[in-house]
Amino acid sequence: MSAFIDKYLQGVLHNIESYVKDTNDFLNRLDNIQLPPNCTLVTLDVVSLYTNIPHSDGVNALRRFLTKHDPSSDMPIEDICCLAQFILKHNYFTFDDEYFLQTQDTAMGTKFAPAYASMFMAVLEEEFLSKETLKPSMFVRYIDDIFLIWPHTDEQLSEFHSKLNMAHPDIKFTMDSSR
């Protein structure tokens, strides 16, 4: 079931504005960039993304993303969300010869987890960036790894990072930067 949902979600990942498919895609994007003077190159990483996406928030983000970016789907969006919810609530795994049921957050081992996490992050970043007056000149993301070009001051970057860390109660970002 997870592979089925993953195959469907893979077909709409390209609708994420910040989406980076792989290293070559990222490098190709950088080829066409003119760096603004005195800009800062920034990387952000989500701390333990998979284990910090609450089921309800993740499925709601999936629903919102698909409604906005794939409204003419061949498969009803509610069916996709129901299947995702089922997968999330019925994830069994073994550890040290014992069986466990993961009852919260997203299992890293399930096939659809990367696409699901990418769509969760897409909704989070779209909402966050739409409210910001100072924005990066470039913002790209591969699942939970973000690269951005910051054309404003270091103090404003620090404020941007602080606000981003308040965008969702369970999602926190580490940041590294270089001028």
Side-chain angles (χ1 to χ4, degrees):
M1 190 180 316
S2 186
F4 174 77
I5 294 299
D6 182 60
K7 186 174 180 174
Y8 175 81
L9 297 180
Q10 291 297 324
V12 293
L13 279 176
H14 67 276
N15 293 327
I16 298 173
E17 188 174 333
S18 64
Y19 177 69
V20 173
K21 180 180 178 180
D22 55 25
T23 302
N24 285 334
D25 183 32
F26 176 67
L27 293 174
N28 288 335
R29 286 176 180 230
L30 289 180
D31 270 349
N32 302 321
I33 295 298
Q34 292 284 355
L35 291 177
N38 300 316
C39 69
T40 303
L41 304 180
V42 181
T43 59
L44 298 164
D45 183 56
V46 179
V47 178
S48 302
L49 175 61
Y50 293 96
T51 58
N52 282 306
I53 302 173
H55 290 173
S56 60
D57 293 355
V59 173
N60 285 335
L62 181 63
R63 180 180 294 107
R64 288 169 54 203
F65 180 86
L66 293 173
T67 299
K68 181 177 180 181
H69 297 287
D70 194 32
S72 61
S73 167
D74 292 339
M75 186 170 175
I77 291 169
E78 278 311 306
D79 290 354
I80 296 164
C81 292
C82 284
L83 289 171
Q85 186 75 37
F86 183 87
I87 295 163
L88 292 166
K89 287 188 174 186
H90 296 88
N91 184 62
Y92 292 89
F93 64 95
T94 59
F95 177 74
D96 203 20
D97 293 329
E98 290 188 56
Y99 287 89
F100 297 90
L101 170 64
Q102 182 169 343
T103 58
Q104 50 186 319
D105 309 320
T106 306
M108 292 178 65
T110 191
K111 183 100 171 122
F112 92 113
Y116 171 78
S118 289
M119 290 179 186
F120 171 81
M121 287 300 298
V123 170
L124 184 109
E125 73 196 25
E126 285 175 5
E127 288 177 0
F128 174 75
L129 290 172
S130 72
K131 297 173 188 168
E132 291 302 300
T133 53
L134 294 178
K135 298 182 190 329
S137 58
M138 178 183 201
F139 185 103
V140 294
R141 181 179 48 78
Y142 179 77
I143 307 174
D144 66 341
D145 298 315
I146 299 166
F147 173 81
L148 62 91
I149 298 173
W150 188 255
H152 312 290
T153 68
D154 290 343
E155 184 179 290
Q156 291 164 325
L157 174 60
S158 180
E159 185 177 327
F160 179 87
H161 181 231
S162 293
K163 287 185 197 174
L164 184 58
N165 273 326
M166 292 185 290
H168 188 281
D170 298 314
I171 304 299
K172 301 301 174 219
F173 298 82
T174 61
M175 180 178 77
D176 289 307
S177 62
S178 176
R179 235 183 230 279

